[in-house]
Amino acid sequence: MTGAVKTTPDMITDITLKEYAGTKNERTKQILASLIKHLHSFAKDVKLTPDELIFATQFLAWGGQISDEKRHEFILLSDTLGLTMLVETLNDDLPEGAFEPSVLGPFYREGAPYIEHYDNISRGENDGVAALITGQVRNIDGEPLSNAELDIWQTNNNGLYENTDPNQPDFNLRGKLKTDKDGTYAFWTVRPEAYPIPIDGPVGKLLEAGGRHNMRPAHIHFIVSSPGYKTIVSEIFDREDEYLGGDAVFGVKDSLITDFDLTDDPETAQKYKKENPFYTMRYDFVLVPGDRAKVKFSAAR
Ligand SMILES: [Fe+2]
């Protein structure tokens, strides 16, 4: 064995990179090479032990085991590590004033029913305090966008999305609507409330290890799209929420915070058969030209 060279960590990295150098797809090749480099230098940086590597693989396996068509632990993991917001922000070449993206989250469900203006997406018995949401969709030049589509979803006051709560009607607190000729929209719902993300899986362990809470500040999710414009997946937050400064998934951006005002308007309340006073919230969405992309993930009920 004289003359044999002792294998070093860098030699392992080099041979791994070399073995993947034949990757045919250029983008895959770029991603794989960078992933291997960063993954290996991360292990070298923290001097990862074999036991810790086994722990990491079990942690990830648990994420797969706890996931099903209603629950996607890896989206939550990406969200709680700040990776989702990093990637969203990295890919957002939007000008000042444009509607900013935020996390999709693991609870989007495609196929919500279309509603008319002033319809109520709260279809449950006791979802919360009524809120009238109004606004306009415009382009960056200030021109109203008619026929733009809003895809909306939120929790009820138990902090649950309908697909994870058998006590809520199908598609409760979900709906889609199109803007009018003048780009305006209006719908009834309930004022959103802060809710906890699930902690009975690996994400819970991660938050516990980091000494972090698992609350998300009150928000309503929106996907806003219009032909010829860039689809934006985002959410609007309640300015008064106590968790605004510490969102478990880092989704809050300054431009996405708005006011839910308690409004004393007996006439409107009577017209729409709501209790007075109720909350009102106004938010205008500003889109820029681009692709009307489809969201590639949907939870099931
Ligand atoms: Fe949410």
Side-chain angles (χ1 to χ4, degrees):
M1 294 297 282
T2 41
V5 179
K6 185 178 186 301
T7 302
T8 67
D10 285 346
M11 286 161 72
I12 306 287
T13 304
D14 288 346
I15 189 143
T16 310
L17 285 169
K18 225 176 104 198
E19 285 296 316
Y20 282 97
T23 304
K24 287 201 176 56
N25 181 285
E26 275 307 309
R27 178 62 174 161
T28 307
K29 186 175 173 177
Q30 183 193 13
I31 288 172
L32 272 179
S34 181
L35 177 70
I36 291 161
K37 272 186 224 157
H38 283 91
L39 205 55
H40 285 219
S41 63
F42 155 72
K44 291 171 200 167
D45 184 33
V46 300
K47 205 156 190 310
L48 201 68
T49 68
D51 282 353
E52 286 164 344
L53 181 59
I54 291 291
F55 176 86
T57 59
Q58 284 167 337
F59 181 87
L60 291 174
W62 185 17
Q65 286 148 7
I66 207 165
S67 294
D68 57 24
E69 63 280 3
K70 288 182 200 168
R71 176 166 180 181
H72 199 318
E73 193 74 359
F74 287 99
I75 290 183
L76 213 51
L77 191 57
S78 166
D79 292 353
T80 48
L81 282 171
L83 183 62
T84 309
M85 282 305 282
L86 171 76
V87 169
E88 285 293 346
T89 308
L90 205 61
N91 283 279
D92 136 17
D93 48 355
L94 300 168
E96 192 78 25
F99 180 38
E100 291 190 90
S102 182
V103 295
L104 173 74
F107 299 111
Y108 172 64
R109 187 180 168 206
E110 65 186 5
Y114 279 96
I115 59 164
E116 297 298 322
H117 286 201
Y118 292 96
D119 278 357
N120 196 354
I121 60 169
S122 161
R123 303 174 177 91
E125 292 285 300
N126 185 24
D127 287 331
V129 183
L132 178 60
I133 316 293
T134 59
Q136 189 185 41
V137 182
R138 296 190 293 268
N139 67 18
I140 197 78
D141 299 319
E143 294 157 348
L145 297 178
S146 63
N147 225 23
E149 187 173 293
L150 271 51
D151 196 342
I152 306 146
W153 70 107
Q154 68 172 87
T155 60
N156 71 356
N157 54 1
N158 292 326
L160 293 170
Y161 288 93
E162 57 79 35
N163 63 311
T164 64
D165 181 5
N167 295 319
Q168 292 185 50
D170 199 24
F171 283 111
N172 190 37
L173 294 162
R174 297 181 192 266
K176 283 199 249 188
L177 61 78
K178 303 260 193 191
T179 55
D180 268 343
K181 274 200 290 293
D182 57 356
T184 58
Y185 73 89
F187 66 95
W188 284 94
T189 181
V190 292
R191 187 183 185 180
E193 291 189 34
Y195 68 82
I197 59 168
I199 49 168
D200 55 340
V203 165
K205 273 276 173 263
L206 172 71
L207 294 177
E208 190 192 324
R212 299 187 63 212
H213 68 72
N214 65 325
M215 295 300 290
R216 294 219 61 209
H219 59 272
I220 303 178
H221 293 268
F222 288 92
I223 299 172
V224 184
S225 66
S226 188
Y229 288 85
K230 186 172 181 173
T231 298
I232 298 293
V233 176
S234 194
E235 43 191 345
I236 304 300
F237 296 89
D238 184 338
R239 194 183 309 281
E240 282 181 11
D241 195 283
E242 61 176 306
Y243 297 105
L244 213 52
D247 185 358
V249 305
F250 309 101
V252 180
K253 288 177 173 175
D254 197 37
S255 71
L256 303 176
I257 302 169
T258 192
D259 297 293
F260 285 76
D261 299 312
L262 194 61
T263 305
D264 179 21
D265 180 353
E267 218 171 287
T268 301
Q270 198 188 19
K271 185 174 172 191
Y272 295 103
K273 299 188 176 65
K274 297 286 179 289
E275 289 203 10
N276 189 57
F278 52 89
Y279 286 102
T280 52
M281 183 279 257
R282 188 190 158 93
Y283 197 89
D284 294 346
F285 301 101
V286 176
L287 299 183
V288 300
D291 280 343
R292 190 179 193 179
K294 254 194 77 119
V295 170
K296 293 188 179 71
F297 168 80
S298 173
R301 180 171 166 122

